[in-house]
Amino acid sequence: MPLPATPPHPGGTTMAEFAPLLVAVLIPLVVPALGFIAAGADAALRSRALGAPARVGWARPGRETLRLLRQQRRSVLGADALLWRTGGVGLAVAAFLLVLVVPVGETPAADLPLGIIWFTTIDVALWALWWLLGWGPNGAFSLIGGYRFLAQALAYELPLMFALLAPAVAAGSLRVADIVSAQREVWFVVSTPAAALVYLLSVAAFSAWGPFSAASGRDLAGGVLAELSGLDRLLVLGGRWCVLVAGAAFAVPLFLGGGGGPLLPAAVWVIVKTLLVLAVLIALGRGVPVILPQRLAEVGWVILVPLTLLQILIVAVAAAVGRA
Amino acid sequence: MGLGEVVAAVLFWVSAVVAIVAGALVFRVDSMARATYALAVSFVAVGVAVLTLRQDFIGLVTILMMIMEMAIMAVFMVSYMGMNPALMPMDMTHAKRPSAAIAGGVFVLLAAAALLIPWPLVPARVPSDLIVRIGEALMGSKMLVMLTVSPVLFVTIVAGIVLTSPRGRYDRFGDRLRERPRDPEGGGVGR
C-alpha cells in the first residue's frame, strides 16, 4: 500500500495515530449497516407502492438475510465455482476498499496521495467482478448479463473518469483530504454541477442499480443474479448495496464538502450526507425505468463525454485564473 | 530497517511470487476465462510490487489498466480463440518448442541484464522531484519524436476504424447527411 511516511511524534504514540486504524476496522461494520438502511428504505417504498404497510418493507432486508443464510446452495452443472465466488465476494471487498480513502471527520483510514486514482482502480475492478459473476454459473442468462454490464461500462467509465477529475483539477490535488479542504467556501456540487450529476449516475451504473440494472434485468430472468442462491446470493445482493453505499460515501468528500457542517461532529455529517446521496439514488432507482446498454453508449459518448470535458475546461480555466 | 520497510519488503516478495505463479497458471488452466483472469492477477501482483517500491502512480495505473484490459480481453478471447468457441475446456499452449525456446532465451537475457548492469545506488535521501527526473531522463531527448509519432498513430487508428466500419456516417445519413438512418437498434440520443 502506498502509505505516506508519517511524521515522527516527539511525545511518543498519541490517540491520533490509532484513528486511521479505528476507521479501517469500522468500515466493514458501518458500510453494511448503511446498506441495510438503504435496502430497507427501498423495500419500504416498494411495499407502499404495492399497497402494503411500509414496515413490511423495512423488515424485508433482515428477513431476506435470514432466509438466504438458511437456504441450501443450489449447484449448477459445469459452473466455474472459483471465478463465480470471486465475483460474489469481491463486490463487498471492493466497496470496503473504496471507503478506505473517504475522510471520516478529519481521518481517512488510508490518506493516499492518489486517492482519486485509487477510486478509479477499484471501480474498474467492478468490471471484472460483474463479468465473473455472469461467467461463473455456466448459464446463458447470466452470461448475457455479464456482457451487458461490460457494454454499459464502456458507456459510463469515461464520463466517470472525467467527472472525478473535475474536483481534482479544482483542488489542484488527487488527495481526497485536499479536495475536502478546497471546498471550505463553495461545495463542488455547486461549482461543478455537471461532474456531480455524471458521478451520481455512474455510481448507480457501476453498482448495476436502478435504471442501469440491465445486467440483472427481469427480461433476463435476473441476468447475473439468475443462478445465485443461498449465501452466494446474499453476498452479491448485500455487496451491491455496499458498493452503492461506498459510491455515495465518496460523493461526500468529492462534491459535498466532506464533514463540513454546523453543530454536529464531522463524522456524523459524513454519514448524514451519505444517507442523503443514497436517498437520491433510491429515488432514481424507483423513478426511472431500466435503460438498455446499447442506448446508454450513445448518451455516454455523445452527451456526457463532451459535457464532462467542458466542465473540466471551465474548472481548469477558473483554477488557473484563481491562482494567477 | 523500520517496520514499514520490513512490511514493504515482505509485500514485494509475496507479490513477486504471486505474479510468477499466476503467470505460469495462464498456461496450465484449461479455460479461456481462467487464463485471462490468471493473467490479470499476475499483473495486479506486479502493480502491488511496483507500489512497494513507492512508485504509487505507476503501480496504481498498472493495476487499473490491466484489470480493464483483461475484462475486455476475456470477451474477445472467448469470442475468437480456437476452433471451438472457447466455451469448452481447451489447451492454452501451442507451438510448444519454439515458445519454450523464446521464453527461456528472453529470461536469460533479462536476468543477465538485471545482474550484470551496474545499477546506480539509491542515495540515502531520495530527491522530492524523483518522478520528474525519471521522466526527463527517459523522455527528455525523445519528446520531439514522440510528439510527431503520437498524432500519426492516432490518425492511423481513426483511419483504420473509418475504413473498416461497415456503417459509417455517410452510410447511415446519406451523402448529404440529411436522411434518417435505418439502424438495427436505435441509439439513446434519438438520431
Side-chain angles (χ1 to χ4, degrees):
Chain A
M1 294 301 113
L3 292 174
T6 45
H9 286 271
T13 54
T14 59
M15 277 306 288
E17 278 183 45
F18 292 106
L21 200 63
L22 187 68
V23 173
V25 171
L26 281 178
I27 284 173
L29 301 174
V30 173
V31 170
L34 290 178
F36 246 94
I37 295 173
D42 183 54
L45 284 173
R46 190 180 321 142
S47 49
R48 278 268 299 280
L50 293 172
R55 66 187 149 75
V56 177
W58 282 107
R60 194 176 151 75
R63 285 176 48 185
E64 186 74 0
T65 303
L66 292 178
R67 185 180 75 82
L68 289 175
L69 277 175
R70 277 179 299 147
Q71 189 182 57
Q72 194 177 10
R73 202 144 62 180
R74 193 176 60 220
S75 60
V76 183
L77 192 67
D80 191 334
L82 175 68
L83 295 187
W84 196 14
R85 305 258 154 80
T86 306
V89 176
L91 287 180
V93 174
F96 300 154
L97 290 177
L98 285 178
V99 181
L100 216 55
V101 290
V102 174
V104 182
E106 299 300 305
T107 330
D111 187 17
L112 307 185
L114 298 169
I116 298 289
I117 310 285
W118 173 264
F119 183 91
T120 317
T121 306
I122 307 295
D123 112 63
V124 165
L126 289 171
W127 290 33
L129 296 176
W130 284 112
W131 186 82
L132 288 174
L133 272 176
W135 171 268
N138 191 30
F141 287 137
S142 299
L143 189 62
I144 297 171
Y147 279 80
R148 271 192 181 178
F149 186 85
L150 282 186
Q152 175 170 298
L154 291 177
Y156 77 74
E157 190 63 42
L158 268 188
L160 170 60
M161 284 183 177
F162 290 137
L164 286 169
L165 276 184
V169 170
S173 167
L174 290 167
R175 185 194 293 267
V176 182
D178 294 343
I179 293 175
V180 172
S181 53
Q183 298 177 69
R184 287 228 181 80
E185 281 145 30
V186 185
W187 288 0
F188 285 153
V189 69
V190 178
S191 57
T192 63
L197 178 71
V198 170
Y199 176 81
L200 187 77
L201 295 178
S202 304
V203 170
F206 67 58
S207 315
W209 160 254
F212 307 103
S213 63
S216 60
R218 280 165 67 183
D219 56 337
L220 285 181
V224 289
L225 306 176
E227 308 287 350
L228 288 162
S229 55
L231 186 60
D232 294 331
R233 191 177 183 83
L234 178 65
L235 279 172
V236 172
L237 293 178
R240 172 152 82 173
W241 280 108
C242 287
V243 173
L244 261 182
V245 168
F250 201 73
V252 175
L254 268 191
F255 296 106
L256 298 175
L263 296 177
L264 298 172
V268 177
W269 269 117
V270 170
I271 289 180
V272 168
K273 289 174 184 175
T274 304
L275 285 173
L276 282 176
V277 179
L278 277 173
V280 176
L281 283 168
I282 288 171
L284 186 77
R286 297 214 48 78
V288 184
V290 177
I291 309 165
L292 289 175
Q294 59 263 40
R295 302 216 158 223
L296 280 176
E298 207 175 38
V299 175
W301 285 70
V302 176
I303 298 177
L304 296 185
V305 167
L307 184 72
T308 44
L309 281 177
L310 198 64
Q311 176 77 80
I312 292 180
L313 178 71
I314 294 170
V315 169
V317 169
V321 169
R323 261 167 232 155
Chain B
M1 210 177 184
L3 181 67
E5 285 172 47
V6 173
V7 171
V10 170
L11 205 58
F12 175 85
W13 286 106
V14 169
S15 49
V17 170
V18 169
I20 291 171
V21 170
L25 279 178
V26 171
F27 302 100
R28 302 296 301 171
V29 295
D30 63 354
S31 119
M32 254 328 155
R34 285 196 171 195
T36 310
Y37 278 96
L39 194 54
V41 168
S42 180
F43 277 124
V44 169
V46 169
V48 173
V50 173
L51 284 179
T52 63
L53 303 176
R54 309 196 67 93
Q55 296 297 320
D56 299 352
F57 187 79
I58 297 174
L60 275 183
V61 167
T62 304
I63 297 174
L64 189 162
M65 298 292 289
M66 285 306 153
I67 293 180
M68 192 187 258
E69 204 166 298
M70 292 306 141
I72 295 297
M73 197 176 86
V75 174
F76 283 99
M77 295 294 261
V78 170
S79 307
Y80 298 129
M81 271 308 234
M83 298 304 285
N84 59 7
L87 291 166
M88 310 296 282
M90 61 186 285
D91 187 10
M92 289 296 141
T93 54
H94 48 81
K96 288 181 193 175
R97 267 196 206 157
S99 316
I102 293 171
V106 171
F107 175 77
V108 168
L109 208 67
L110 288 178
L115 293 176
L116 298 181
I117 290 176
W119 300 104
L121 288 172
V122 179
R125 209 175 51 78
V126 178
S128 57
D129 59 341
L130 185 66
I131 304 283
V132 176
R133 287 196 194 187
I134 292 176
E136 291 202 337
L138 282 174
M139 297 298 301
S141 58
K142 302 173 188 70
M143 266 331 271
L144 188 64
V145 181
M146 285 306 288
L147 283 175
T148 326
V149 168
S150 58
V152 173
L153 281 177
F154 186 70
V155 168
T156 312
I157 293 170
V158 172
I161 292 171
V162 167
L163 289 177
T164 51
S165 171
R167 277 171 63 75
R169 210 149 58 104
Y170 291 100
D171 300 313
R172 292 177 64 223
F173 296 102
D175 289 343
R176 295 177 176 277
L177 296 177
R178 280 186 194 151
E179 291 163 31
R180 282 192 67 79
R182 279 182 299 169
D183 292 336
E185 187 80 47
V189 188
R191 295 185 305 164

